[in-house]
Amino acid sequence: MIRTATPADVPAVHALIRELAAYEKAPQEARATEEQLREALFGERPAVFAHVAVDDVSGETVGFALWFLNFSTWRGVHGIYLEDLYVSPGARGGGHGRALLTGLAWICVERGYERLEWSVLDWNEPAIGFYEALGARPQDGWTGYRLTDGALAALGGSGH
């Protein structure tokens, strides 16, 4: 079962985020707290959204999709950027990942959004195979960039 996350899901989603960070070999980088996640998802002006995959038998939360809106200046409409999609290893192969992506694709179609985008680590062959089997294609010719920590502070501290 896939459903929109509720405040009661925050501890489970937070635990899955930590699990994802360990899977991606970067557990030290997952510094978000449950309180930060709760505020981002359910605060006064949420700008990020989540869906959870729940095991039909146990009722356990086994996966999540965390996403936000982006905007295409070329198409003139919003799209969805999928920040994270994760299904616990023991629940993989049960259709949870596909159901989460199907739900996001449905939101795009229903709301007139024209893109559903995400990034995947180059070494994550199982995820790449899964995405390509759904019809997703890599965006050749684009390289992602990111400013964080000291570089972000240095640039942001230079004024505007």
Side-chain angles (χ1 to χ4, degrees), residues 24 82-86 97-98 101 118-121 124-138:
E24 291 187 351
L82 176 60
E83 178 65 22
D84 283 320
L85 173 75
Y86 183 74
R98 180 182 181 89
L101 280 172
W118 62 91
S119 296
V120 61
L121 291 167
N124 195 344
E125 290 296 328
I128 291 168
F130 169 68
Y131 297 142
E132 290 184 357
L134 294 175
R137 296 294 171 251

Side-chain angles (χ1 to χ4, degrees), residues 23 30 40 61 88 91 104 117-118 147 158:
Y23 175 77
T61 300
S88 289
L104 294 182
E117 300 177 304
W118 62 91
L147 280 170
S158 65

Side-chain angles (χ1 to χ4, degrees), residues 6-7 10 22-23 25 33 54-55 73 81 88 97 99 110 118 125-126 131 135-136 139-140 154 156:
T6 68
V10 168
Y23 175 77
K25 301 172 180 69
T33 65
V54 179
D55 183 87
T73 56
Y81 186 84
S88 289
E110 184 72 14
W118 62 91
E125 290 296 328
Y131 297 142
Q139 297 297 297
D140 294 333

